[in-house]
Amino acid sequence: MDASLMRALARQIGPAAAWALVLLLGFEAALHCDAWLYRYRSVFAAGRAEDKMRHAARQQPDTLFVGNSRTDNGLSPAAFRAGADLPDRHVAFNLGLPGANTLVLRGVVERLLERGMKPPADVFIALDETLFQDEDSLGYYGFFALRDDLWQDGLHGALFGSWLRSWYYSGNLRQLREPDKLGRFIEATFHEIEPVGGSAERTAGYRQGRSGGFQTAEQLRAQEAGTRAPPDPRMTRHLFDLVERLTRAGSRVHLIAVPMFERASAFGPDAAAGPYADILPALEARGARWLEAPPGRPLQPGDFADPGHLNDSGARVFSTSLGQAFARTAPPRP
């Protein structure tokens, strides 16, 4: 800020208030910078999402996995590539974002395309009931959702927060009351720290699931509650828009379901009738296709980090089977 402007401001509101305003404006500017999110990728979920976006755009994936935490923990790019017998030069990337819904996923994919990511040849969207719920406890909306979508959805608080991020992100900053997160925040301020589970550059976005790991008990309860709620029509519309956007860009869109322990998916040709029954046919009418990938062996309790998430063992079994199913139906490689 210009020194003369600072002096004039201090005369008007007083030196202390002037400095406080300058600090607030500086903090607000930092929150609008992708570098801030990336810096604190080991602390906040939005920062880890930025880590994934940055490296997805840089690596230019041929195959992209999209979904929430079940995708994050459940799809190993390396195991998928091995199952499909794809060469090492084939880039598969996991864009699973814990706590994300279709509003967030649509915004993230759109931003990746704007950043120069070529439309992947194949996009796998892991369908899950919680994708269709209006829930933003991890603070994604103000950073990644499209402002037009926020306006149309009536999410005016998040829309305002996309402009005044210091207000919007205050809930996430309260997480710093947790000693572990506060320690990582302080450490990340002075030097680079990878997210828990490894950086997207090193892991291609995949994070191994482990019991008691990356979601609190409250977040797990909220996720499971979402599996019993009907779909929010706004979130359904965002998934339709995302599929149409990808198919127009030339991507082949595959719809899958990540296995859960002792609970069947609400999606797929054999799913029971219910509030989600009409979604799959509507997505197929927009150019997507369902891909069934039964695991090569029955999954055991030891293959799950918790009832809703696979651990590394289960993810490798499922991802290998998915690769094999993909290879059986994919067009021949040049």
Side-chain angles (χ1 to χ4, degrees), residues 15-270:
W19 278 111
L21 181 59
V22 169
L23 290 173
L24 180 60
L25 290 174
F27 183 64
E28 179 68 21
L31 286 175
H32 281 266
C33 177
D34 294 337
W36 183 90
L37 280 179
Y38 185 72
R39 182 76 180 185
Y40 293 101
R41 60 195 182 277
S42 64
V43 184
F44 302 115
R48 183 164 179 266
E50 172 61 29
D51 179 47
K52 286 199 173 194
M53 291 173 65
R54 180 170 298 204
H55 292 294
R58 182 176 299 165
Q59 295 180 16
Q60 296 290 341
D62 304 292
T63 298
L64 186 68
F65 302 118
V66 176
N68 57 18
S69 60
R70 302 194 206 280
T71 300
D72 187 35
N73 299 151
L75 287 162
S76 163
F80 170 84
R81 195 169 56 240
D85 194 26
L86 294 168
D88 290 342
R89 66 177 182 275
H90 184 102
V91 179
F93 193 89
N94 185 321
L95 195 65
L97 303 177
N101 57 18
T102 59
L103 169 64
V104 174
L105 295 178
R106 169 170 149 78
V108 164
V109 171
E110 194 64 48
R111 289 171 193 274
L112 278 172
L113 295 173
E114 290 173 358
R115 290 185 185 187
M117 184 187 78
K118 294 181 295 186
D122 294 278
V123 178
F124 291 80
I125 300 177
L127 298 181
D128 181 80
E129 299 96 316
T130 58
L131 287 179
F132 298 89
Q133 308 304 317
D134 173 20
E135 202 277 330
D136 189 35
S137 61
L138 294 181
Y140 290 130
Y141 283 8
F143 289 98
F144 304 121
L146 301 180
R147 289 191 173 111
D148 286 348
D149 287 344
L150 292 173
W151 174 259
Q152 292 175 19
D153 288 357
L155 299 170
H156 300 140
L159 177 62
F160 177 69
S162 73
W163 296 105
L164 188 64
R165 287 182 172 175
S166 54
W167 171 79
Y168 167 77
Y169 212 57
S170 59
N172 290 71
L173 293 174
R174 283 197 294 270
Q175 297 175 22
L176 298 181
R177 293 177 296 186
E178 301 174 19
D180 181 53
K181 283 203 171 183
L182 178 60
R184 288 204 303 273
F185 181 85
I186 294 171
E187 193 175 354
T189 301
F190 295 101
H191 60 84
E192 300 282 337
I193 307 178
E194 286 192 357
V196 176
S199 70
E201 181 178 29
R202 184 165 58 84
T203 66
Y206 167 62
R207 179 163 65 176
Q208 297 182 16
R210 58 184 177 85
S211 301
F214 309 110
Q215 290 182 294
T216 66
E218 289 75 18
Q219 289 167 343
L220 285 170
R221 281 196 293 270
Q223 187 168 46
E224 289 307 309
T227 65
R228 296 186 291 273
D232 185 318
R234 299 169 298 177
M235 303 303 146
T236 303
R237 187 182 74 249
H238 295 315
L239 184 58
F240 292 165
D241 291 343
L242 174 59
V243 168
E244 289 176 348
R245 175 72 171 92
L246 289 167
T247 54
R248 283 199 309 270
S251 297
R252 294 183 292 267
V253 179
H254 313 271
L255 307 172
I256 62 173
V258 177
M260 291 171 284
F261 183 63
E262 293 186 341
R263 187 166 73 78
S265 170
F267 304 93
D270 299 327

